[in-house]
């Protein structure tokens, strides 16, 4: 028998609860789009939130600067007007890279924009590197994190710390789950490597998001006036709980198989799933609407 735990309130519309919040921190991948198509309901919900007076910030673990994320959203026909600002794991990771010295890099070529404008030097010579920046697998379709153990052991031999630009373990791309940089960071930590991360669920990305909101609002933002929206337990859920803000959990995301079928979650199982990880959600809905 499942342990009885407090259940999040099931809601039908984001606007049903917006009266209690000044700031919305919304996840991107899995809530707004799946990498191939944007969700019309989510677009409408965020537009309505702004019309209701909320300051909306898209908070994503994309390992790239915010402008590149906006350009990708535009290609999916997402209007710029859905949000007031975008902050990425890449944005906050750039500060770590600047202090890392000479770094090696692992990730697809599309992530090279992470380094634009930085003074950090990149190298392919591990003997001269002072750290490794990881933005993802080179091929997230045909490779898995364990394939990189031989390379990671070389990093360990050189005593190289890792900077992980995307703490996500997996992300949904169309109908499949793709490995992210967080999965590589997890493997490196298991092997004994040192890992630094600044994206969700870690404090720097939330602190920077609320600084942006405070600048716009002209006053500090009370955490009880902030609601986060997300679908990832290790990142969105843990991050919101640790940051002391309310959470709207999107159940149709990457964990849907844990507590039922798409659009029809078993609320007891959903609550137990969150509880077993030491987390909770104030509200839930299958998809942002």
């Amino acid at each position: 028998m499942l342990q009885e735990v407090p259940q999040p309130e099931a809601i039908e519309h984001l606007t049903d609860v917006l009266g209690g919040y000044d700031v919305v921190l919304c996840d991107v991948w899995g809530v707004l789009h799946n990498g191939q198509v944007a969700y019309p309901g989510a677009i409408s919900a965020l537009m309505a939130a702004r019309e209701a007076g909320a300051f909306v910030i898209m908070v994503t673990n994309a390992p790239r600067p915010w402008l590149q994320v906006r350009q990708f959203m535009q290609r999916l026909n997402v209007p710029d007007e859905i949000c007031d600002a975008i902050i990425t794991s890449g944005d906050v990771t750039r500060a770590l890279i600047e202090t890392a010295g000479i770094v090696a890099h692992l990730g697809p070529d599309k992530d090279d924009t992470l380094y634009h404008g930085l003074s950090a030097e990149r190298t392919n010579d591990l003997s001269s590197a002072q750290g490794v920046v990881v933005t993802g697998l080179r091929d997230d379709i045909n490779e898995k994190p364990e394939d990189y153990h031989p390379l990671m052991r070389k990093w360990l031999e050189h005593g190289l710390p890792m900077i992980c630009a995307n703490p996500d373990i997996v992300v949904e791309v169309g109908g499949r789950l793709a490995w992210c940089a967080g999965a590589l960071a997890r493997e490196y930590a298991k092997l004994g490597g040192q890992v630094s991360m600044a994206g969700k669920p870690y404090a720097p990305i939330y602190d920077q998001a609320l600084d942006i909101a405070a600048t716009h609002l002209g006053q500090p933002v009370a955490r009880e006036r902030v609601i986060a929206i997300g679908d990832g337990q290790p990142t969105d859920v843990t991050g919101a709980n640790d940051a002391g803000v309310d959470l709207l959990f999107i159940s149709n995301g990457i964990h849907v198989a844990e507590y039922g079928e798409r659009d029809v979650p078993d609320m007891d199982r959903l609550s137990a799933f969150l509880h077993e990880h030491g987390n909770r959600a104030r509200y839930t809905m299958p998809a942002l609407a």
Side-chain angles (χ1 to χ4, degrees):
M1 179 180 295
L2 289 172
Q3 178 184 1
E4 289 189 9
V5 297
Q7 289 188 355
E9 178 184 349
I11 63 173
E12 294 185 1
H13 308 104
L14 175 62
T15 48
D16 292 343
V17 299
L18 275 181
Y21 303 102
D22 301 316
V23 177
V24 176
L25 306 179
C26 186
D27 183 35
V28 177
W29 208 302
V31 175
L32 178 64
H33 65 71
N34 68 0
Q36 295 180 348
V37 295
Y39 304 138
I43 294 173
S44 297
L46 295 172
M47 296 284 279
R50 292 195 68 211
E51 290 171 4
F55 189 78
V56 177
I57 306 176
M58 308 307 295
V59 183
T60 171
N61 273 348
R64 292 170 287 282
W66 72 268
L67 183 58
Q68 192 172 358
V69 170
R70 168 154 284 180
Q71 290 168 343
F72 183 78
M73 288 161 53
Q74 289 170 341
R75 290 197 291 274
L76 297 181
N77 296 314
V78 175
D80 292 347
E81 293 77 19
I82 66 158
C83 66
D84 296 278
I86 301 171
I87 184 169
T88 74
S89 179
D91 293 327
V92 292
T93 299
R94 283 164 59 88
L96 296 177
I97 296 174
E98 279 284 60
T99 62
I102 303 172
V103 297
H105 173 82
L106 173 63
D109 292 341
K110 66 181 181 181
D111 295 336
D112 286 350
T113 55
L114 180 66
Y115 300 93
H116 288 179
L118 298 182
S119 60
E121 181 181 344
R122 294 171 59 181
T123 182
N124 293 321
D125 180 9
L126 295 183
S127 64
S128 64
Q130 297 168 291
V132 180
V133 177
V134 175
T135 60
L137 286 68
R138 297 189 184 99
D139 181 353
D140 61 18
I141 296 177
N142 300 303
E143 295 179 331
K144 56 186 183 297
E146 294 82 357
D147 295 339
Y148 288 87
H149 280 188
L151 177 60
M152 290 179 182
R153 291 191 178 94
K154 292 182 181 179
W155 296 345
L156 287 171
E157 290 174 4
H158 289 87
L160 300 180
M162 174 195 288
I163 296 174
C164 175
N166 176 2
D168 283 355
I169 303 297
V170 295
V171 68
E172 184 180 4
V173 181
R176 70 178 180 89
L177 293 180
W179 293 109
C180 297
L184 295 172
R186 183 174 63 182
E187 293 301 312
Y188 196 49
K190 288 179 181 178
L191 294 175
Q194 176 186 338
V195 178
S196 296
M197 292 188 271
K200 296 180 291 184
Y202 303 99
I205 196 167
Y206 291 93
D207 292 342
Q208 191 164 331
L210 294 184
D211 284 345
I212 292 171
T215 298
H216 170 81
L217 297 173
Q219 60 184 12
V221 178
R223 301 264 170 155
E224 61 267 22
R225 300 289 299 178
V226 179
I227 185 168
I229 305 171
D231 70 313
Q233 190 286 131
T235 51
D236 304 310
V237 179
T238 298
N241 278 249
D242 289 351
V245 303
D246 283 348
L247 172 71
L248 167 56
F249 180 64
I250 303 302
S251 62
N252 275 358
I254 58 176
H255 305 298
V256 64
E258 299 283 346
Y259 39 73
E261 299 177 6
R262 190 169 292 271
D263 296 327
V264 285
D266 181 310
M267 290 298 292
D268 288 332
R269 290 172 59 192
L270 186 153
S271 302
F273 168 74
L274 297 176
H275 182 72
E276 73 183 19
H277 293 284
N279 290 318
R280 62 180 180 83
R282 179 75 180 273
Y283 309 104
T284 187
M285 58 196 316
L288 186 58

